[in-house]
Amino acid sequence: FFFFFFFQAEDGIRDVERSRGLGDVYKRQHLIEGYKYDLRLYVLVSSFDPLVVYLYDEGEIYNMKVGLVRFATEKYKRDLQSLNRKCVHLTNYSVNKFSENYIENNLDFITLDQLVPNNVSKWNFKMLHQKYTSLNLSPEKIFAKIKDVIIKSLITIQPHVCNKLSKSGYMQNQCFDLFGFDIIIDDTLKPWLLEVNMSPSLSCSSKLDKQIKTLLLCDTLHLIGITSYAHSEQRTGQESKKPCEKSNAKLFNPYLDSIKENTVMNKKDLKLLMQLDEESRRSGSFERIFPLKDNWKKYVKYFECERYNDILLWKYLDTEFDCLKSYKAA
Protein backbone atom coordinates (compact mmCIF):
# COMPACT_ATOMS: atom_id res chain seq x y z
CA PHE A 1 0.00 0.00 0.00
CA PHE A 2 1.03 3.63 -0.21
CA PHE A 3 0.17 6.70 1.85
CA PHE A 4 -0.84 10.22 0.85
CA PHE A 5 0.08 12.98 3.28
CA PHE A 6 -1.99 15.71 1.68
CA PHE A 7 -5.64 16.54 1.65
CA GLN A 8 -7.99 17.67 -1.05
CA ALA A 9 -9.40 21.18 -0.97
CA GLU A 10 -11.75 22.93 -3.35
CA ASP A 11 -8.86 24.86 -4.88
CA GLY A 12 -6.80 21.79 -5.66
CA ILE A 13 -4.13 19.61 -4.06
CA ARG A 14 -1.83 21.10 -1.46
CA ASP A 15 0.37 20.02 1.42
CA VAL A 16 -1.08 19.40 4.82
CA GLU A 17 -0.54 22.29 7.20
CA ARG A 18 1.46 21.43 10.27
CA SER A 19 -1.46 22.33 12.51
CA ARG A 20 -3.77 19.98 10.60
CA GLY A 21 -1.72 16.87 10.05
CA LEU A 22 -3.38 13.52 9.45
CA GLY A 23 -2.90 12.58 13.10
CA ASP A 24 -4.77 15.72 14.15
CA VAL A 25 -7.60 14.89 11.75
CA TYR A 26 -7.77 11.37 13.18
CA LYS A 27 -8.43 12.92 16.61
CA ARG A 28 -11.19 15.11 15.19
CA GLN A 29 -12.90 12.37 13.22
CA HIS A 30 -16.65 12.34 12.64
CA LEU A 31 -18.33 9.89 15.00
CA ILE A 32 -21.46 7.75 14.72
CA GLU A 33 -23.08 7.03 18.06
CA GLY A 34 -19.74 7.91 19.66
CA TYR A 35 -17.68 5.43 17.60
CA LYS A 36 -14.92 6.11 15.10
CA TYR A 37 -15.35 4.63 11.62
CA ASP A 38 -13.67 4.58 8.24
CA LEU A 39 -14.81 3.76 4.72
CA ARG A 40 -13.35 1.14 2.41
CA LEU A 41 -14.05 1.97 -1.21
CA TYR A 42 -13.08 -0.28 -4.09
CA VAL A 43 -11.66 1.59 -7.07
CA LEU A 44 -10.88 -0.05 -10.39
CA VAL A 45 -8.46 1.59 -12.81
CA SER A 46 -8.99 -0.18 -16.11
CA SER A 47 -6.35 1.94 -17.82
CA PHE A 48 -3.74 4.54 -16.90
CA ASP A 49 -3.20 5.66 -20.52
CA PRO A 50 -5.82 6.98 -20.88
CA LEU A 51 -6.73 7.27 -17.19
CA VAL A 52 -10.10 5.54 -16.65
CA VAL A 53 -11.44 5.20 -13.09
CA TYR A 54 -14.43 3.25 -11.76
CA LEU A 55 -15.87 3.29 -8.23
CA TYR A 56 -17.78 0.38 -6.72
CA ASP A 57 -20.19 2.28 -4.53
CA GLU A 58 -23.20 3.50 -6.46
CA GLY A 59 -24.47 0.25 -7.92
CA GLU A 60 -27.68 -1.16 -6.51
CA ILE A 61 -27.34 -4.86 -5.62
CA TYR A 62 -30.42 -6.34 -4.01
CA ASN A 63 -31.36 -2.79 -2.97
CA MET A 64 -27.97 -2.31 -1.32
CA LYS A 65 -25.20 0.24 -1.76
CA VAL A 66 -21.87 -1.54 -2.21
CA GLY A 67 -18.91 -0.72 0.04
CA LEU A 68 -17.75 -1.26 3.62
CA VAL A 69 -17.96 0.90 6.76
CA ARG A 70 -15.69 -0.35 9.55
CA PHE A 71 -16.18 0.70 13.17
CA ALA A 72 -13.97 0.82 16.21
CA THR A 73 -15.43 -1.44 18.89
CA GLU A 74 -15.10 0.97 21.82
CA LYS A 75 -16.50 4.49 22.09
CA TYR A 76 -14.03 7.26 21.40
CA LYS A 77 -12.53 9.12 24.34
CA ARG A 78 -9.97 11.92 24.37
CA ASP A 79 -8.25 11.18 27.64
CA LEU A 80 -4.84 9.86 28.60
CA GLN A 81 -6.27 6.66 30.04
CA SER A 82 -7.52 5.54 26.60
CA LEU A 83 -4.32 6.19 24.64
CA ASN A 84 -3.19 2.58 24.72
CA ARG A 85 -6.61 1.13 23.90
CA LYS A 86 -6.37 0.36 20.19
CA CYS A 87 -10.05 -0.48 19.81
CA VAL A 88 -10.94 3.08 20.83
CA HIS A 89 -8.77 4.84 18.27
CA LEU A 90 -8.31 2.39 15.37
CA THR A 91 -10.94 1.12 12.96
CA ASN A 92 -8.82 -1.62 11.37
CA TYR A 93 -10.58 -4.97 11.13
CA SER A 94 -7.28 -6.70 11.92
CA VAL A 95 -7.29 -4.94 15.31
CA ASN A 96 -10.96 -4.96 16.25
CA LYS A 97 -11.70 -8.58 15.32
CA PHE A 98 -9.99 -9.62 18.57
CA SER A 99 -12.20 -7.37 20.70
CA GLU A 100 -14.92 -8.97 22.79
CA ASN A 101 -17.21 -6.20 21.50
CA TYR A 102 -16.74 -7.12 17.84
CA ILE A 103 -19.95 -8.37 16.21
CA GLU A 104 -19.87 -9.84 12.70
CA ASN A 105 -22.46 -8.81 10.13
CA ASN A 106 -23.87 -12.19 9.06
CA LEU A 107 -27.29 -11.03 7.92
CA ASP A 108 -28.51 -11.37 4.35
CA PHE A 109 -29.12 -8.49 1.98
CA ILE A 110 -32.88 -8.66 2.40
CA THR A 111 -32.70 -7.97 6.15
CA LEU A 112 -30.13 -5.17 6.14
CA ASP A 113 -32.79 -2.46 6.26
CA GLN A 114 -33.95 -3.79 9.62
CA LEU A 115 -30.58 -3.49 11.39
CA VAL A 116 -30.38 -1.40 14.54
CA PRO A 117 -27.34 0.99 14.51
CA ASN A 118 -24.25 -0.33 16.29
CA ASN A 119 -25.41 -3.92 16.67
CA VAL A 120 -22.74 -4.96 14.17
CA SER A 121 -19.17 -3.74 13.67
CA LYS A 122 -19.27 -3.51 9.89
CA TRP A 123 -21.88 -1.82 7.68
CA ASN A 124 -22.52 -1.49 4.00
CA PHE A 125 -22.96 1.90 2.31
CA LYS A 126 -26.73 1.75 2.23
CA MET A 127 -26.80 1.64 6.02
CA LEU A 128 -24.35 4.56 6.12
CA HIS A 129 -26.51 6.59 3.74
CA GLN A 130 -29.54 5.95 5.92
CA LYS A 131 -27.62 7.01 9.02
CA TYR A 132 -26.35 10.20 7.40
CA THR A 133 -29.88 11.04 6.30
CA SER A 134 -31.22 10.50 9.84
CA LEU A 135 -28.55 12.97 11.07
CA ASN A 136 -29.71 15.55 8.49
CA LEU A 137 -26.45 15.15 6.58
CA SER A 138 -26.20 14.93 2.79
CA PRO A 139 -24.60 11.62 1.75
CA GLU A 140 -24.55 12.83 -1.86
CA LYS A 141 -22.36 15.83 -1.01
CA ILE A 142 -20.01 13.76 1.16
CA PHE A 143 -19.54 11.11 -1.50
CA ALA A 144 -19.02 13.74 -4.20
CA LYS A 145 -16.05 15.00 -2.16
CA ILE A 146 -14.78 11.44 -1.73
CA LYS A 147 -14.82 10.90 -5.50
CA ASP A 148 -12.85 14.11 -5.90
CA VAL A 149 -10.17 12.82 -3.52
CA ILE A 150 -9.96 9.51 -5.41
CA ILE A 151 -9.60 11.11 -8.84
CA LYS A 152 -6.91 13.57 -7.75
CA SER A 153 -4.98 10.83 -5.96
CA LEU A 154 -4.82 8.69 -9.11
CA ILE A 155 -3.88 11.65 -11.30
CA THR A 156 -0.78 12.16 -9.14
CA ILE A 157 0.57 8.67 -9.87
CA GLN A 158 -0.37 8.47 -13.56
CA PRO A 159 3.01 9.78 -14.83
CA HIS A 160 4.94 7.19 -12.83
CA VAL A 161 2.74 4.29 -13.92
CA CYS A 162 2.73 5.36 -17.58
CA ASN A 163 6.50 5.69 -17.53
CA LYS A 164 6.83 2.10 -16.30
CA LEU A 165 4.29 0.87 -18.86
CA SER A 166 6.07 2.58 -21.75
CA LYS A 167 9.29 0.80 -20.84
CA SER A 168 7.63 -2.59 -20.38
CA GLY A 169 5.91 -2.62 -23.75
CA TYR A 170 2.60 -3.92 -22.39
CA MET A 171 -0.58 -3.15 -24.30
CA GLN A 172 -3.20 -0.84 -22.79
CA ASN A 173 -5.72 -3.64 -22.19
CA GLN A 174 -3.18 -5.92 -20.50
CA CYS A 175 -2.89 -3.81 -17.34
CA PHE A 176 -5.46 -2.90 -14.69
CA ASP A 177 -5.56 -2.63 -10.92
CA LEU A 178 -8.13 -2.81 -8.15
CA PHE A 179 -7.39 -0.46 -5.25
CA GLY A 180 -8.82 -0.31 -1.75
CA PHE A 181 -9.18 3.34 -0.75
CA ASP A 182 -9.52 3.96 2.99
CA ILE A 183 -11.24 7.25 3.77
CA ILE A 184 -11.97 8.97 7.08
CA ILE A 185 -14.42 11.82 7.56
CA ASP A 186 -13.51 14.66 9.93
CA ASP A 187 -15.86 16.64 12.14
CA THR A 188 -16.41 19.19 9.35
CA LEU A 189 -17.48 16.36 7.00
CA LYS A 190 -14.34 16.71 4.86
CA PRO A 191 -13.04 13.35 3.56
CA TRP A 192 -9.36 12.54 4.08
CA LEU A 193 -7.38 9.86 2.32
CA LEU A 194 -5.94 7.56 4.98
CA GLU A 195 -4.24 5.03 2.70
CA VAL A 196 -4.53 3.21 -0.59
CA ASN A 197 -4.14 -0.56 -0.67
CA MET A 198 -2.88 -2.16 -3.85
CA SER A 199 -4.53 -5.51 -4.49
CA PRO A 200 -6.73 -5.25 -1.36
CA SER A 201 -7.57 -8.38 0.58
CA LEU A 202 -10.63 -10.25 -0.68
CA SER A 203 -10.77 -12.61 2.29
CA CYS A 204 -14.20 -12.93 3.87
CA SER A 205 -14.89 -12.95 7.60
CA SER A 206 -18.68 -12.64 7.41
CA LYS A 207 -21.65 -13.03 5.07
CA LEU A 208 -21.50 -9.32 4.31
CA ASP A 209 -17.86 -9.60 3.22
CA LYS A 210 -18.55 -12.65 1.09
CA GLN A 211 -21.55 -11.10 -0.64
CA ILE A 212 -19.83 -7.81 -1.43
CA LYS A 213 -16.43 -9.21 -2.43
CA THR A 214 -17.82 -12.04 -4.56
CA LEU A 215 -19.84 -9.55 -6.60
CA LEU A 216 -16.88 -7.17 -6.68
CA LEU A 217 -14.57 -9.81 -8.13
CA CYS A 218 -17.15 -10.96 -10.69
CA ASP A 219 -17.84 -7.41 -11.87
CA THR A 220 -14.11 -6.60 -12.01
CA LEU A 221 -13.28 -9.51 -14.32
CA HIS A 222 -16.41 -8.90 -16.41
CA LEU A 223 -15.63 -5.20 -16.88
CA ILE A 224 -11.97 -5.77 -17.75
CA GLY A 225 -12.83 -8.41 -20.33
CA ILE A 226 -9.42 -10.07 -20.33
CA THR A 227 -8.39 -11.04 -23.83
CA SER A 228 -5.91 -13.63 -25.07
CA TYR A 229 -2.27 -12.60 -25.33
CA ALA A 230 -1.02 -11.88 -28.85
CA HIS A 231 2.75 -11.70 -29.34
CA SER A 232 2.22 -9.99 -32.69
CA GLU A 233 0.64 -6.98 -30.93
CA GLN A 234 3.27 -6.68 -28.22
CA ARG A 235 4.86 -3.25 -28.28
CA THR A 236 8.47 -2.42 -27.70
CA GLY A 237 9.42 0.41 -25.40
CA GLN A 238 10.18 2.68 -28.38
CA GLU A 239 6.93 1.90 -30.20
CA SER A 240 4.83 2.64 -27.13
CA LYS A 241 6.06 6.22 -26.80
CA LYS A 242 3.59 8.90 -27.91
CA PRO A 243 3.77 12.67 -27.58
CA CYS A 244 2.87 13.83 -24.11
CA GLU A 245 2.37 17.56 -24.36
CA LYS A 246 -0.94 18.76 -25.73
CA SER A 247 0.61 20.81 -28.53
CA ASN A 248 2.63 17.85 -29.81
CA ALA A 249 -0.34 15.52 -29.47
CA LYS A 250 -2.39 17.77 -31.75
CA LEU A 251 0.35 17.71 -34.38
CA PHE A 252 0.42 13.93 -34.08
CA ASN A 253 -3.24 13.80 -35.07
CA PRO A 254 -5.11 17.01 -35.98
CA TYR A 255 -8.57 15.54 -35.33
CA LEU A 256 -7.91 15.76 -31.59
CA ASP A 257 -9.09 19.36 -31.88
CA SER A 258 -12.60 18.11 -32.55
CA ILE A 259 -14.08 14.69 -33.23
CA LYS A 260 -16.99 15.05 -35.61
CA GLU A 261 -19.35 12.81 -37.51
CA ASN A 262 -17.64 10.87 -40.30
CA THR A 263 -14.21 11.62 -38.84
CA VAL A 264 -11.66 9.28 -40.38
CA MET A 265 -9.59 7.74 -37.59
CA ASN A 266 -6.61 5.43 -37.58
CA LYS A 267 -7.28 1.85 -36.51
CA LYS A 268 -5.45 2.06 -33.17
CA ASP A 269 -7.48 5.04 -32.00
CA LEU A 270 -10.72 3.47 -33.19
CA LYS A 271 -9.88 0.24 -31.39
CA LEU A 272 -9.11 2.12 -28.16
CA LEU A 273 -12.44 3.97 -28.18
CA MET A 274 -14.37 0.83 -29.03
CA GLN A 275 -12.71 -1.06 -26.16
CA LEU A 276 -13.62 1.69 -23.68
CA ASP A 277 -17.16 1.90 -25.02
CA GLU A 278 -17.62 -1.86 -24.63
CA GLU A 279 -16.04 -1.68 -21.18
CA SER A 280 -18.62 0.82 -19.97
CA ARG A 281 -21.40 -1.48 -21.17
CA ARG A 282 -19.95 -4.29 -19.00
CA SER A 283 -19.48 -2.13 -15.91
CA GLY A 284 -22.10 -3.89 -13.78
CA SER A 285 -22.15 -2.20 -10.36
CA PHE A 286 -19.09 -0.11 -11.16
CA GLU A 287 -19.67 3.56 -11.84
CA ARG A 288 -17.18 5.41 -14.01
CA ILE A 289 -16.18 8.56 -12.12
CA PHE A 290 -13.45 9.71 -14.50
CA PRO A 291 -13.39 10.81 -17.20
CA LEU A 292 -16.92 12.04 -17.71
CA LYS A 293 -18.21 14.61 -20.14
CA ASP A 294 -19.04 16.98 -17.30
CA ASN A 295 -15.86 16.58 -15.23
CA TRP A 296 -12.74 16.04 -17.38
CA LYS A 297 -12.25 19.79 -17.94
CA LYS A 298 -12.28 20.35 -14.18
CA TYR A 299 -9.37 17.94 -13.62
CA VAL A 300 -7.23 18.57 -16.70
CA LYS A 301 -5.21 21.24 -14.86
CA TYR A 302 -3.96 18.61 -12.37
CA PHE A 303 -2.33 16.41 -15.02
CA GLU A 304 1.43 16.68 -15.28
CA CYS A 305 0.96 16.59 -19.05
CA GLU A 306 -1.92 15.85 -21.39
CA ARG A 307 -1.29 12.53 -23.09
CA TYR A 308 -2.50 11.64 -26.53
CA ASN A 309 -4.87 8.87 -25.41
CA ASP A 310 -6.34 11.06 -22.66
CA ILE A 311 -7.12 13.86 -25.10
CA LEU A 312 -8.58 11.37 -27.57
CA LEU A 313 -10.98 10.02 -24.95
CA TRP A 314 -11.90 13.47 -23.61
CA LYS A 315 -12.77 14.72 -27.10
CA TYR A 316 -14.79 11.60 -27.76
CA LEU A 317 -16.81 12.22 -24.58
CA ASP A 318 -17.60 15.73 -25.80
CA THR A 319 -19.45 14.42 -28.86
CA GLU A 320 -23.24 14.70 -28.86
CA PHE A 321 -23.89 11.39 -30.58
CA ASP A 322 -22.70 7.80 -30.67
CA CYS A 323 -19.81 8.64 -32.92
CA LEU A 324 -18.43 5.10 -32.95
CA LYS A 325 -21.27 4.15 -35.27
CA SER A 326 -20.16 6.83 -37.70
CA TYR A 327 -16.39 6.32 -37.59
CA LYS A 328 -14.53 4.95 -40.53
CA ALA A 329 -11.24 3.26 -39.83
CA ALA A 330 -8.37 4.65 -41.80
Side-chain angles (χ1 to χ4, degrees):
F1 55 86
F2 52 91
F3 293 88
F4 286 85
F5 292 100
F6 62 79
F7 71 92
Q8 172 269 331
E10 292 300 324
D11 58 345
I13 302 173
R14 61 188 178 89
D15 293 333
V16 177
E17 301 170 1
R18 287 183 181 275
S19 61
R20 284 178 58 84
L22 193 58
D24 186 49
V25 174
Y26 210 63
K27 291 188 295 184
R28 298 180 296 99
Q29 195 172 340
H30 183 259
L31 306 177
I32 291 182
E33 302 292 337
Y35 293 88
K36 280 189 172 185
Y37 66 96
D38 72 358
L39 312 182
R40 162 57 62 89
L41 299 102
Y42 295 101
V43 177
L44 176 64
V45 178
S46 63
S47 166
F48 272 100
D49 183 19
L51 181 62
V52 183
V53 184
Y54 293 88
L55 177 61
Y56 206 65
D57 79 326
E58 291 297 329
E60 291 285 351
I61 307 237
Y62 296 104
N63 197 33
M64 185 202 85
K65 296 290 184 183
V66 179
L68 292 172
V69 185
R70 302 171 299 190
F71 285 88
T73 49
E74 296 183 39
K75 287 193 174 183
Y76 178 62
K77 298 178 182 179
R78 296 188 65 176
D79 55 52
L80 294 177
Q81 289 74 23
S82 68
L83 284 180
N84 295 324
R85 299 173 65 178
K86 295 180 180 180
C87 294
V88 171
H89 301 281
L90 302 180
T91 54
N92 308 56
Y93 166 73
S94 59
V95 172
N96 286 281
K97 67 179 180 180
F98 297 110
S99 170
E100 60 181 11
N101 298 321
Y102 184 81
I103 304 176
E104 290 186 355
N105 190 333
N106 283 316
L107 299 181
D108 295 325
F109 285 145
I110 57 174
T111 59
L112 286 175
D113 288 337
Q114 303 169 6
L115 287 176
V116 178
N118 297 324
N119 73 337
V120 290
S121 300
K122 193 178 289 186
W123 289 3
N124 60 39
F125 280 177
K126 177 167 185 174
M127 298 165 67
L128 180 65
H129 279 228
Q130 291 174 336
K131 187 61 178 180
Y132 279 163
T133 301
S134 70
L135 296 173
N136 294 320
L137 303 178
S138 172
E140 291 77 17
K141 291 182 179 179
I142 295 174
F143 272 80
K145 294 178 181 178
I146 291 175
K147 292 175 185 178
D148 188 61
V149 170
I150 292 171
I151 294 170
K152 288 177 178 175
S153 300
L154 292 168
I155 288 174
T156 64
I157 66 170
Q158 190 208 30
H160 309 288
V161 176
C162 288
N163 181 52
K164 293 294 185 181
L165 286 175
S166 66
K167 294 179 179 179
S168 69
Y170 286 117
M171 300 295 289
Q172 178 266 343
N173 64 345
Q174 292 172 345
C175 302
F176 68 93
D177 211 332
L178 180 68
F179 297 98
F181 274 69
D182 291 342
I183 300 287
I184 57 175
I185 310 296
D186 70 14
D187 54 4
T188 66
L189 303 181
K190 179 189 290 291
W192 290 68
L193 179 57
L194 182 60
E195 68 174 351
V196 181
N197 295 270
M198 298 180 65
S199 302
S201 171
L202 296 178
S203 62
C204 303
S205 61
S206 65
K207 283 187 178 180
L208 179 66
D209 281 316
K210 185 175 182 179
Q211 291 163 338
I212 289 178
K213 294 177 181 179
T214 298
L215 294 168
L216 169 68
L217 186 57
C218 290
D219 280 344
T220 296
L221 295 177
H222 189 60
L223 184 150
I224 293 301
I226 298 175
T227 57
S228 58
Y229 180 83
H231 284 279
S232 60
E233 295 185 4
Q234 181 71 7
R235 303 182 305 186
T236 66
Q238 293 297 321
E239 291 172 340
S240 64
K241 292 181 180 179
K242 286 187 177 182
C244 180
E245 297 298 336
K246 184 175 181 180
S247 58
N248 291 335
K250 285 185 176 181
L251 291 174
F252 187 78
N253 243 328
Y255 59 65
L256 288 183
D257 282 325
S258 177
I259 294 179
K260 299 177 181 179
E261 193 168 3
N262 297 321
T263 297
V264 178
M265 306 184 68
N266 65 58
K267 292 183 179 180
K268 287 185 177 180
D269 291 351
L270 179 61
K271 182 178 180 180
L272 173 64
L273 293 178
M274 290 182 66
Q275 286 175 343
L276 294 172
D277 184 66
E278 292 172 355
E279 182 180 280
S280 64
R281 299 174 190 271
R282 302 192 302 263
S283 58
S285 295
F286 278 103
E287 174 201 13
R288 192 173 73 209
I289 60 174
F290 185 83
L292 301 174
K293 180 178 180 179
D294 59 356
N295 78 355
W296 72 263
K297 292 179 181 178
K298 171 185 175 182
Y299 292 102
V300 68
K301 62 184 178 182
Y302 300 119
F303 282 78
E304 182 177 85
C305 64
E306 298 173 33
R307 288 175 166 76
Y308 177 87
N309 287 337
D310 284 314
I311 300 174
L312 175 65
L313 180 55
W314 299 341
K315 294 300 182 181
Y316 167 61
L317 292 173
D318 273 346
T319 58
E320 298 294 335
F321 53 91
D322 188 358
C323 50
L324 287 178
K325 294 181 180 180
S326 305
Y327 285 160
K328 298 177 181 179

